[in-house]
Amino acid sequence: MSLPLLFTPTTLRSVTLPNRIVLSPLCMYSAKDGLANAFHLSHLTAFARGRVGLVFTEATAVAPEGRISHGCCGLWNDAQADAYRPVVEAIEAMGAVPAIQIAHAGRKASAHPPWEGGLPLAASDAADGQAPWRTVAPSAIPVGEGWPEPRAMTEQDIAGMVQKFADATRRAAAAGFKVLEIHGAHGYLIQSFLSPLANQRNDAYGGDLAGRMRFALEVAKAVRAAWPQDLPLFFRISAVDGRPGGWELDDSVVLARELKALGVDVIDCSAGGILGAPAFRAGDDGKPLRTGGERPPGFQVPYAERVRRDADVATMAVGVITTGPQAEDILQTGKADLIAIGRELMYNPFWPLHAAEALGCDADRKMWPSNYGWAIRRRTDIRAANAAE
Ligand SMILES: Cc1cc2nc3c(=O)[nH]c(=O)nc-3n(C[C@H](O)[C@H](O)[C@H](O)COP(=O)(O)O)c2cc1C
């Protein structure tokens, strides 16, 4: 039997991924001063041990005010790159490829972690060491009710921000990461420039599609120049805002073509986040309809499929992909090149090995790390014997 595509290695530039399973970036809100620590080491190596091929860090801020919360990792100084190095080494030692997502949270920064409600920090939070800070955005438009008004960035701020993305990229390379992703999704800074719902500038960085894409493309260009040529670059998009008058899938195809021309290798197709919970179901008039956050299996896969086909670029699918056969079908039908998984891997870091079992390609547990595999084989034998009694 031939190996399922999910477990077939693939090469991007000089980097060979051992399989097509990717840990999607997952904010843990557990750093201090932006430094990765023992928690991040144990968290991320769990997935490498579970045979995820490409392990992404959480969204890592290029500037202190670009963190979502005080607990987010950063890469605005060299100490933060040093703190990531043991994480990188441990991921690689387990046979996976270490990847980093770099980000700026824009007007969604200065917030509580989700388990504290995710609301913006208030002056009173300073007493708990969580002082709020002034956020920045393309325009002085709050994310929603109850959110503070961000400061609209000047053209000088924008040039400085592009430089911060480039500087963080150099630090990521120095830390040893082999794949880098620019976070251009979920309503954070880059997407807020893309979306007409958040960008109402009337200079070169706003207005028509070309103007709204300018910042994203300048970041991609600067990051590509700072990132080693032999290493792959990913870009995460929100393929649709899911709101009337917002960013549409056609816009994503145009953006993906431009990103590919700048040397982006993979478009990671997420969605939503510009104003809050995303919406994906078409209404009677064909326009996106707010659904209250319905998320059927593989609900974002059509975005990866369309971008892959019409922009002729490799894509990563993400969003409620929960079983090996589902993931394999996405790859076999040419809808995406890589499968990113978030919550299912948090629930079960050994998901890849269970997916291999479901796809019938690891009956002898050879995919397991050898120090586990022999014992898991014994477990299987004992269970079979007990069941036969
Ligand atoms: C705890 C948590 C943290 C997340 N943090 C990030 C992040 O740092 N960057 C990002 O692009 N997406 C982030 N996401 C979104 C995930 O990467 C992923 O796109 C989403 O969870 C859908 O995939 P899933 O259904 O497999 O979980 C996060 C999601 C969760 C649940």
Side-chain angles (χ1 to χ4, degrees):
M1 183 197 142
S2 65
L3 206 56
L5 266 181
L6 192 61
F7 292 100
T8 304
T10 184
T11 300
L12 297 162
R13 298 198 183 225
S14 68
V15 177
T16 298
L17 310 181
N19 59 43
R20 317 284 171 105
I21 304 169
V22 179
L23 174 72
S24 205
L26 296 171
C27 284
M28 288 289 113
Y29 313 96
S30 302
K32 195 167 177 297
D33 300 326
L35 297 158
N37 57 40
F39 170 78
H40 301 89
L41 180 76
S42 71
H43 163 66
L44 293 170
T45 51
F47 306 106
R49 186 167 58 241
R51 290 293 187 245
V52 169
L54 183 65
V55 175
F56 266 101
T57 67
E58 66 186 51
T60 297
V62 300
E65 85 285 350
R67 287 174 294 175
I68 300 168
S69 76
H70 279 275
C72 293
C73 284
L75 209 49
W76 65 83
N77 65 43
D78 293 345
Q80 292 160 342
D82 290 344
Y84 261 138
R85 200 161 293 127
V87 178
V88 164
E89 285 167 6
I91 291 171
E92 279 189 321
M94 291 180 190
V97 175
I100 185 164
Q101 185 188 56
I102 59 170
H104 191 294
R107 63 184 189 163
K108 292 175 90 173
S110 186
H112 287 277
W115 61 85
E116 289 175 10
L119 292 173
L121 294 171
S124 55
D125 293 311
D128 304 329
Q130 294 198 81
W133 62 88
R134 186 81 198 268
T135 58
V136 295
S139 304
I141 306 169
V143 186
E145 226 181 284
W147 284 78
E149 188 179 292
R151 184 174 65 75
M153 291 166 72
T154 63
E155 292 205 7
Q156 203 183 351
D157 292 331
I158 292 174
M161 190 63 76
V162 171
Q163 187 60 45
K164 285 174 189 171
F165 272 91
D167 292 344
T169 298
R170 273 186 215 95
R171 293 192 185 100
F177 287 103
K178 298 295 184 293
V179 171
L180 183 136
E181 176 170 275
I182 299 167
H183 195 345
H186 302 168
Y188 298 119
L189 187 64
I190 292 177
Q191 196 209 345
S192 67
F193 269 87
L194 294 171
S195 173
L197 299 178
N199 181 347
Q200 293 177 8
R201 299 177 72 94
N202 47 27
D203 63 3
Y205 291 91
D208 62 6
L209 183 59
R212 283 180 281 111
M213 290 196 308
R214 189 178 310 277
F215 175 60
L217 296 177
E218 284 184 3
V219 168
K221 195 170 172 196
V223 165
R224 184 67 270 181
W227 187 237
Q229 275 309 302
D230 62 330
L231 298 182
L233 177 62
F234 290 28
F235 192 104
R236 174 166 272 199
I237 59 169
S238 273
V240 297
D241 279 339
R243 304 287 182 145
W247 179 262
E248 300 284 358
L249 191 50
D250 288 344
D251 301 328
S252 288
V253 172
V254 175
L255 175 65
R257 283 195 198 117
E258 302 253 357
L259 290 170
K260 183 187 174 188
L262 290 175
V264 170
D265 302 293
V266 175
I267 306 293
D268 174 5
C269 295
S270 188
I274 197 70
L275 298 176
F280 301 101
R281 186 155 54 80
D284 292 336
D285 59 358
K287 293 263 161 54
L289 187 74
R290 181 108 202 255
T291 63
E294 278 172 29
R295 287 170 173 80
F299 68 109
Q300 294 173 151
V301 174
Y303 306 139
E305 180 183 14
R306 168 84 198 284
V307 168
R308 187 176 192 261
R309 190 185 66 225
D310 290 351
D312 189 26
V313 64
T315 59
M316 182 152 83
V318 66
V320 195
I321 300 170
T322 59
T323 71
Q326 181 194 6
E328 179 65 11
D329 181 67
I330 293 165
L331 297 172
Q332 288 288 351
T333 52
K335 293 178 177 138
D337 301 85
L338 296 170
I339 302 293
I341 298 178
R343 288 160 293 195
E344 216 52 33
L345 274 165
M346 290 176 82
Y347 178 67
N348 173 16
F350 287 108
W351 186 91
L353 295 160
H354 296 166
E357 191 173 330
L359 290 167
C361 63
D362 191 28
D364 53 4
R365 316 293 183 183
K366 287 273 165 52
M367 270 188 205
W368 286 73
S370 44
N371 41 10
Y372 279 53
W374 69 272
I376 301 297
R377 279 195 296 277
R378 288 280 296 276
R379 171 186 175 274
T380 309
D381 293 346
I382 292 166
R383 283 166 67 93
N386 288 344
E389 270 177 17

